[in-house]
Every structure is written in structure tokens, then in C-alpha cells.
């Protein structure tokens, strides 16, 4: 806890009191990490394990930035720390700072509060830049924790590959995790996406965001929906009736396959080996994939061409300093100009305008004033 100290001033004015923080102490009991967990969820589990009320617990590693600030419900928002508060929390949890930052996304450097001498934290009502997704119930049992644990996610959904579940940020009764036993292709697609993003790095994550935006555009236009999407919705039984909730699930395999196709073209482009003829051959392959999915390729291909227009071929005499793909086993793709966007939610990360849940329209361009699903936190 903090103590206060003051120094007298030569002009006789009252001394300004400042806090002197005692060194943090490790708590008696620790809790197992859940990868991707929100800070508030982890802090509540740690406090509960040691029998400390939330208000007292947060006061042990910092003071609130806002007057009358208090820890809130981790189901709906999350808390943020500065570097000094993070160091104290790490000591209390018996972890290294880098361990907490690896496990808890909202403690990573770009999410920390501005640096101050004193440890401080903030718990805003609305958590921008992330969604709170319920932890898989099987993972929770293995970690010996409750279902009131939440992941800090860049999407409204997550996949638990180990336990074959689709997780999301719905909290209404009857919206438990969706089992994927009947949809093995969704699990396969998730594994392929993980491999793609690990192999290509930041460029791979950006390309999946672009593919997700394109397929979201197709989903927003009923005439461009693949028949297999309706079949998957049917297999989801009651959960499949909530079209907006399950949309990312039902088109996930096609989004990943499209991301792989975008990556193939982008690698050629950045190596300056993409020719006009090669571009059209690539478009033919994408159109053939659409035909296999049952998506009308003639109108749907417009969205892909819109993406290609923003990634034009590079001339052989172009900027010699421009980043090129690395060679070797882990052939990462560099980002062109939107590196900052990788810290944004998936729906805001793409260079394309389409977002899942926009007003249904027969036009490929989003309808003016169309709405998008944002979720809370």
C-alpha cells in the first residue's frame, strides 16, 4: 500500500503531499494463466484466490486515474495499467512482466497508459479496441477457474481448437459456446489461419483482415452467399438461427482460403514478379474457387478486384528500398503502409470498406448510413 510524505516549503506554504509506495509483495496464492485473458478477469481471479475484495486489490498496485475511479465488472469492460502498476501486479502475481504481457493482451506496450512516476490504472466504461469473449468452459475447468473469465479479443469471437468450440461475446441466456463437432472444416480453417499468420507475420494478419472484409461483403449481399453457408447454419441448429452471430463461423473456411490466395499474389507483387498476365491468371483461379463455393463469380469478383486495385504490381525499376518478402522457412510478408492498423479490431484492420453486419444491400459498396456490429468492450 502507499504512504504519504511531505516536505516543508521555505515560503511557509503548505507542503504538497506525495505518495511513497512500499515495495509490492507476492501474494500467498497464484492463479494459472489463461492465454489472451483480459486484465480485469485475471485480476479478479487472483483477488478471489487470495480473499481480497476487488476495490482493495486494485488499490494494492495503483491509484485510479479518474476521480472516484473503481474496478468494474470484467464481463463488460476492462482495466488498463501504466508500466509502474504493471510491475507491481507482476510481483503480486509471482510472474515476470514479460510473462503477464505475453498472456494478457491489454498489458502489452501499446495498451499501457502513458508513463507516470506513480503506478496508476484506469477502468473506462467502454473498452475500445477489443471485445470480451467468454473463456471456453473446458479450459476454465482445466485451469480450475470459473466461467466468469473473459478473453480480450480483437474480434467478437474466438476458436478453442483444443476443445472444438466457437466462443463469442454474447451474454444472453442460451448463448453458450458453440460446439464444432459437426463442422470440422471450421477447425481445419482455423489451424490453416494460425499457420498462415505465423509464417507470414504482420503481413499475414493484414491479409486475413482483407479476406475477412471481402467475405463479409459477400455475406452482406444475400445473392452472393455460398450455399454451404446455409448448410452450416442448419447444422448449428438453434444457434444457427442467429444469422449475425454465426456469420463469421459459417464463412470462416472460405475467408481463410481467400486469405491464402491473397497472400500468393501479394508475395509475387512484392517480389516484383507479378505481371499483367499473371494477375489475370490469378483472378481466374480465384473465380474458379468461387465457382466451387457456389458464389456467383462475376459480381463477387468485383470485391476482389477492388482489393487488387489497391495492391497494384510494382515495376522492376521501383523503389529499391521497398520491403520485400524474406526468404527461408519463415517467409514473412512486410506491411505496406498500415502497420498501425494491426492494433485495431479485425473489422477495422483492412484497407477495404466492407464490414460484417452492414445494412443488407444489393450493391457491393456499403449502403450510406449502414450499421455495423460493434459489440460492447
Amino acid at each position: 500500500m502507499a504512504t504519504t510524505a511531505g516536505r516543508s516549503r521555505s515560503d511557509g506554504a503548505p507542503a504538497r503531499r506525495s505518495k511513497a509506495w512500499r515495495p509490492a509483495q507476492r501474494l500467498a496464492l497464484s492463479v494459472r494463466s489463461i492465454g489472451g485473458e483480459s486484465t480485469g478477469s485475471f485480476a479478479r481471479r487472483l483477488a478471489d484466490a487470495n480473499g481480497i475484495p476487488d476495490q482493495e486489490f486494485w488499490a494494492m498496485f495503483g491509484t485510479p486515474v479518474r476521480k472516484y475511479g473503481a474496478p468494474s465488472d470484467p464481463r463488460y469492460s476492462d482495466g488498463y495499467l501504466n508500466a509502474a502498476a504493471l510491475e507491481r501486479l507482476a510481483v503480486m502475481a509471482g510472474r515476470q512482466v514479460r510473462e503477464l504481457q505475453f498472456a494478457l493482451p491489454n498489458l502489452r506496450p501499446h495498451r499501457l497508459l502513458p508513463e507516470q512516476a506513480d503506478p496508476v490504472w484506469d477502468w473506462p466504461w467502454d473498452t475500445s479496441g477489443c471485445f470480451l469473449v467468454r473463456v471456453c468452459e473446458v479450459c476454465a475447468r482445466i485451469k480450475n477457474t470459473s466461467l466468469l473469465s473473459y478473453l480480450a479479443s480483437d474480434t467478437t469471437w474466438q476458436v478453442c481448437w483444443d476443445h472444438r468450440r466457437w466462443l463469442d461475446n454474447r451474454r444472453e441466456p442460451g448463448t453458450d459456446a458453440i460446439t464444432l463437432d459437426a463442422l470440422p472444416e471450421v477447425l481445419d480453417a482455423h489451424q490453416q489461419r494460425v499457420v498462415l499468420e505465423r509464417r507470414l507475420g504482420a503481413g499475414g494478419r493484414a491479409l486475413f483482415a482483407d479476406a475477412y472484409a471481402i467475405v463479409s461483403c459477400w455475406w452482406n449481399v444475400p445473392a452472393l452467399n455460398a450455399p454451404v453457408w446455409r448448410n452450416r447454419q442448419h447444422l448449428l441448429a438453434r444457434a444457427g438461427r442467429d444469422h449475425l452471430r454465426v456469420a463469421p463461423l459459417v464463412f470462416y473456411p472460405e475467408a481463410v482460403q481467400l486469405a491464402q490466395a491473397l497472400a500468393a499474389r501479394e508475395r509475387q507483387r512484392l517480389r516484383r514478379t507479378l505481371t499483367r498476365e499473371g494477375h489475370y491468371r490469378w483472378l481466374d483461379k480465384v473465380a474458379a474457387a468461387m465457382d466451387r463455393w457456389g458464389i456467383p463469380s462475376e459480381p463477387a469478383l468485383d470485391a476482389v478486384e477492388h482489393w487488387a486495385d489497391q495492391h497494384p504490381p510494382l515495376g522492376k525499376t521501383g523503389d529499391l528500398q521497398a520491403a520485400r518478402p524474406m526468404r527461408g522457412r519463415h517467409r514473412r510478408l512486410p506491411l505496406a503502409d498500415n502497420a498501425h492498423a494491426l492494433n485495431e479490431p479485425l473489422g477495422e484492420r483492412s484497407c477495404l470498406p466492407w464490414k460484417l453486419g452492414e445494412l443488407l444491400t444489393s450493391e457491393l459498396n456499403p449502403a450510406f448510413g449502414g450499421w455495423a456490429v460493434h459489440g460492447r468492450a
Side-chain angles (χ1 to χ4, degrees), residues 314-374:
L314 300 174
K316 293 184 180 297
T317 58
D319 181 8
L320 296 179
Q321 300 302 317
R324 298 190 181 191
M326 295 175 60
R327 295 183 181 275
R329 183 176 179 182
H330 298 285
R331 300 164 294 174
R332 296 180 178 270
L333 281 178
L335 282 173
D337 54 7
N338 61 340
H340 66 283
L342 286 182
N343 293 330
E344 299 296 326
L346 178 64
E348 306 292 334
R349 195 178 298 167
S350 175
C351 63
L352 301 172
W354 305 295
K355 295 178 176 60
L356 179 64
E358 285 173 333
L359 190 65
L360 296 182
T361 174
S362 60
E363 301 292 334
L364 281 177
N365 291 323
F368 179 77
W371 57 272
V373 59
H374 293 294

Side-chain angles (χ1 to χ4, degrees), residues 244-369:
L244 192 56
R245 179 192 182 193
V246 302
L249 187 164
V250 299
F251 66 57
Y252 195 35
E254 288 68 41
V256 173
Q257 291 179 54
L258 182 59
Q260 293 170 330
L262 301 185
R265 182 187 183 278
E266 187 68 357
R267 178 166 295 283
Q268 279 192 303
R269 186 183 79 91
L270 292 178
R271 290 202 182 282
R272 295 183 173 83
T273 59
L274 179 65
T275 63
R276 182 181 180 86
E277 294 75 15
H279 166 70
Y280 285 116
R281 285 196 299 270
W282 176 81
L283 275 180
D284 288 341
K285 291 180 180 178
V286 175
M290 292 180 186
D291 290 339
R292 291 195 301 272
W293 301 334
I295 296 175
S297 60
E298 185 173 349
L301 202 60
D302 289 348
V304 179
E305 291 187 281
H306 182 73
W307 173 85
D309 289 342
Q310 299 191 45
H311 298 77
L314 300 174
K316 293 184 180 297
T317 58
D319 181 8
L320 296 179
Q321 300 302 317
R324 298 190 181 191
M326 295 175 60
R327 295 183 181 275
R329 183 176 179 182
H330 298 285
R331 300 164 294 174
R332 296 180 178 270
L333 281 178
L335 282 173
D337 54 7
N338 61 340
H340 66 283
L342 286 182
N343 293 330
E344 299 296 326
L346 178 64
E348 306 292 334
R349 195 178 298 167
S350 175
C351 63
L352 301 172
W354 305 295
K355 295 178 176 60
L356 179 64
E358 285 173 333
L359 190 65
L360 296 182
T361 174
S362 60
E363 301 292 334
L364 281 177
N365 291 323
F368 179 77

Side-chain angles (χ1 to χ4, degrees), residues 148-205:
L148 298 179
S149 300
Y150 289 84
L151 306 174
S153 172
D154 62 354
T155 62
T156 60
W157 49 269
Q158 284 286 308
V159 177
C160 179
W161 191 85
D162 289 339
H163 303 119
R164 309 172 73 85
R165 280 167 167 74
W166 183 273
L167 317 171
D168 60 27
N169 69 335
R170 294 297 183 91
R171 300 171 180 85
E172 303 90 336
T175 55
D176 295 334
I178 300 172
T179 180
L180 297 175
D181 289 336
L183 296 171
E185 67 270 27
V186 175
L187 293 166
D188 292 341
H190 183 67
Q191 193 170 33
Q192 292 169 19
R193 176 195 169 192
V194 170
V195 171
L196 177 77
E197 294 184 350
R198 284 179 179 172
R199 181 165 58 89
L200 302 184
R205 296 195 298 276

Side-chain angles (χ1 to χ4, degrees), residues 197-246:
E197 294 184 350
R198 284 179 179 172
R199 181 165 58 89
L200 302 184
R205 296 195 298 276
L207 289 170
F208 176 74
D210 291 341
Y212 188 86
I214 292 172
V215 181
S216 294
C217 171
W218 297 342
W219 186 88
N220 291 342
V221 183
L224 302 183
N225 284 199
V228 70
W229 298 350
R230 292 190 293 272
N231 295 339
R232 290 177 188 143
Q233 279 187 267
H234 179 72
L235 290 173
L236 293 174
R238 180 180 177 182
R241 299 172 191 169
D242 190 337
H243 297 271
L244 192 56
R245 179 192 182 193
V246 302

